[in-house]
Amino acid sequence: MALVDQLRERREAVLERWLDVALGDYPEETARFLRTERDQFANPVGHSTRRGLEGLLGWLLRETGRDEAQALLDGIVRIRALQDLSAGRALAFILELKELIRAELAAEIEAGRISQEELCTLEKRVDGLALLAFDIYVECREQIHRIRLEELRRASWAASRLARERGLSSDQLARQEGV
Amino acid sequence: MADEILSTIDYKPPRRRWLDTPVEFRRGTWCYGAKAKSLEAVGLPNPREWSPDQEDWKLPPNWREILLEGLRERLERFRSLRLFMDTCVRCGACADKCHYYIGSGDPKNMPVLRAELLRAVYRKNFTLAGRIMGEFVGARELTQDVLKEWFYYFFQCSECRRCSVFCPFGIDTAELTMIARELLNLVGCNIDWIAGPVANCYRTGNHLGLEPHAFKDMVDFCVDELEEVTGVRVEPTFNRKGAEVLFIAPSGDVFADPGMYTFMGYLLVFHEVGLDYTLSTYASEGGNFGLFTSHEMMKRLNAKMYAEAERLGVKWILGGECGHMWRVVHQYMDTMNGPADFLEEPVSPVTGTKFDHAKSTKMVHIAEFTADLIRHGKLKLDPGRNDHLRVTFHDSCNPARAMGLLEEPRYIIRSVCRHFHEMPENTIREQTFCCGSGAGLNADENMEIRLRGGFPRANAVRYVREKYGVNALACLCAIDRAVLPPLMEYWVPGVDVYGVHELVGNALVLKGEKERTTDLRGEPLDRTDDDEDL
């Protein structure tokens, strides 16, 4: 378990680099704000991202269950699913962790102190996270559309109730009321 | 093959100056353009069918002259505009205070940069330095791309004025947005979610364009529902001359779910204290989307309130739980359409309290009226009937920042609920975060922007939900009641949205009522024996 031990030891450094990667998706001045403002209410995006990445790193090292990973990913993906990021860009930060770990532990890997097998196992877990994140992303996008539909229903609630009372179809009523 | 594709993908955003980053009209972020019929209804210029995501916006040939002349006129008319154009030193105090910036990360949502979109054109055309030095002093030509940027970003500002709280110079960025929207209207570039309600309101008196019989139908429906829950039949009157008070609510409280439960709360309070009031089927809208169009349109739509009060011969006007209606009433009505000499200084007929602050406008907020009733012990309340709700309170931007209505709603909630928990200090009162959908941005086609902009608010609600089990978000604005439910659904499932007077309606013990088994929504009551949790 040399890899896990090494990562645990360099957890802080890896987290900061991972945070750089995730926040690098935002314009420079925004990334600076998201990184430096520590008040969770003044900076919910930065706070959620940092907290989520911290948790995910812990999850990778501890090998706990899927539910925990889902909750941690949700905290970040739910935000990115809404922002001006393509699906690929929104989720790329997860896959980029693999490269980041290889870079951070390059010397150990080179010296053969970390086995390829260990690396592959960890990277498979990262891939698993990426797939899970993809599910969450799609669910969030679908939810946005469901919310839009529900809002339309809510908005026309009064009109359809009046229509029912007067025995009119909603279209007839709309014509009559000019809405 | 896969490597080839992957190597072409650049996950990093391009590094460009903000001036050189054109707007991309991505679906979900912008509202549909104003329809020709909406503009024609009120005589606004350049009515045509168009869409913001198309290349050709069908502008009049002399659109640039119209806009620059419009800006020149307004610089002469509004001294505040001239000051706001010149005094900003780009200190950045406002930059990270906007909910749209916090939620989107788009730098042009920083209030300072949003305002800069207008300032850059001002410098180029109205200052010597700008004319000579151009980009060196942040001046910019007015091109169609710039116009499109104006449209995109000034319809991504909800005029909530949170940024203004932090500006050391007191620059009111909402006023800049108002001016920018006025200018856009000169060439027909409004959004239909604003232009439609404006046209409807002008024609029938409310945003939905519903006519008097439909308005009455809906109020009657509320009356029937109330009788079912309480066993008491309330009897509101319509257009009754000689009533003491004219009551005007936002139409969302009459026509929308869950706003109508708030309306039911109003009706119960009036019935219980025997208020001599009438509703008007003409002044059937407290809201005023003219505020989001132009000063003239705001004045035109607001005029109906005083006109109707005068026609009916009432003494004063009582207003419901609306947001921007109070910005209009409190800060513009008196000088636009006042003084209302034909009305009297409002006095509560129940307690005798004189509402001095409304001496000039003659219009009192219902939270002030009800808080005064409670203070004088005029309402019998059973707060245990709200025990199924663990409540937090969202200060709606306009009542909080435009009229300082901070204590009254809290006093009412503490009187009618036993479980009340405040959100963190930097998210409430003067620093309250917007719902993300104010100032006419509560359309459905821009849902993504709304959910982004509402995230800071939702984040604070999530905090009190996790900490105290909060399941009810009370608010004081009809737009809030319409837009916070979807916001909660996305970010904080399990939290429902309530008007303050719905909570009052639940707790209010009426003379002659039957034993209540449900709240106004028909949800079973769940009285708890544990201690109060205020």
Side-chain angles (χ1 to χ4, degrees), chain A residues 30 78 82 148 151 179, chain B residues 105 208 444 448 450 452 490:
Chain A
T30 299
R78 185 164 291 275
L82 270 181
R148 276 189 68 179
E151 185 159 90
V179 289
Chain B
L208 279 87
D444 72 280
E448 287 176 43
R450 291 174 45 190
R452 285 179 205 175
Y490 189 78

Side-chain angles (χ1 to χ4, degrees), chain A residues 83-142:
Chain A
Q83 294 177 324
D84 281 332
L85 301 167
S86 66
R89 250 185 72 192
L91 303 180
F93 73 96
I94 299 170
L95 295 172
E96 286 184 71
L97 179 63
K98 295 197 287 191
E99 207 176 307
L100 196 155
I101 289 174
R102 278 182 184 267
E104 182 70 26
L105 303 180
E108 278 75 10
I109 296 169
E110 187 86 353
R113 285 192 290 276
I114 290 170
S115 72
Q116 285 300 323
E117 198 188 337
E118 267 187 289
L119 261 178
C120 280
T121 308
L122 185 82
E123 290 184 346
K124 258 191 148 165
R125 281 171 70 77
V126 175
D127 291 342
L129 281 181
L131 292 175
L132 196 52
F134 185 66
D135 287 348
I136 295 170
Y137 183 91
V138 172
E139 168 54 26
C140 286
R141 298 298 308 175
E142 284 177 3

Side-chain angles (χ1 to χ4, degrees), chain A residues 24-25 28 30 39-41 45 78 82-84 89 141 143 148 151 154 157-158 161 166 177 179, chain B residues 11 13 15 26 101-103 105 208-209 217 221 255 257 260 424 426 444 448 450 452 459 489-490:
Chain A
D25 289 321
E28 232 170 274
T30 299
D39 184 308
Q40 61 170 306
F41 303 107
V45 173
R78 185 164 291 275
L82 270 181
Q83 294 177 324
D84 281 332
R89 250 185 72 192
R141 298 298 308 175
Q143 195 187 2
R148 276 189 68 179
E151 185 159 90
R154 216 190 276 267
W157 171 85
R161 202 194 68 80
R166 295 193 208 158
E177 305 288 0
V179 289
Chain B
Y11 287 116
R15 300 278 171 236
R26 184 173 169 244
Y101 175 63
I102 294 172
L208 279 87
D217 271 356
F221 171 76
F255 294 110
D257 170 15
M260 63 171 190
N426 55 346
D444 72 280
E448 287 176 43
R450 291 174 45 190
R452 285 179 205 175
N459 180 56
E489 194 181 331
Y490 189 78

Side-chain angles (χ1 to χ4, degrees), chain B residues 279-300:
Chain B
L279 301 168
S280 165
T281 58
Y282 304 105
S284 51
E285 177 66 74
N288 185 337
F289 275 28
L291 172 68
F292 314 135
T293 305
S294 68
H295 287 86
E296 289 72 21
M297 194 58 68
M298 164 169 50
K299 178 177 175 171
R300 256 162 102 179

Side-chain angles (χ1 to χ4, degrees), chain B residues 463-504:
Chain B
Y463 176 77
V464 284
R465 173 152 180 82
E466 283 166 6
K467 196 163 179 189
Y468 307 109
V470 159
N471 61 1
L473 176 59
C475 60
L476 206 61
C477 161
I479 288 182
D480 281 340
R481 284 188 283 280
V483 305
L484 290 174
L487 189 73
M488 291 300 108
E489 194 181 331
Y490 189 78
W491 295 110
V492 205
V495 175
D496 287 326
V497 177
Y498 294 78
V500 170
H501 275 76
E502 178 180 351
L503 303 175
V504 174

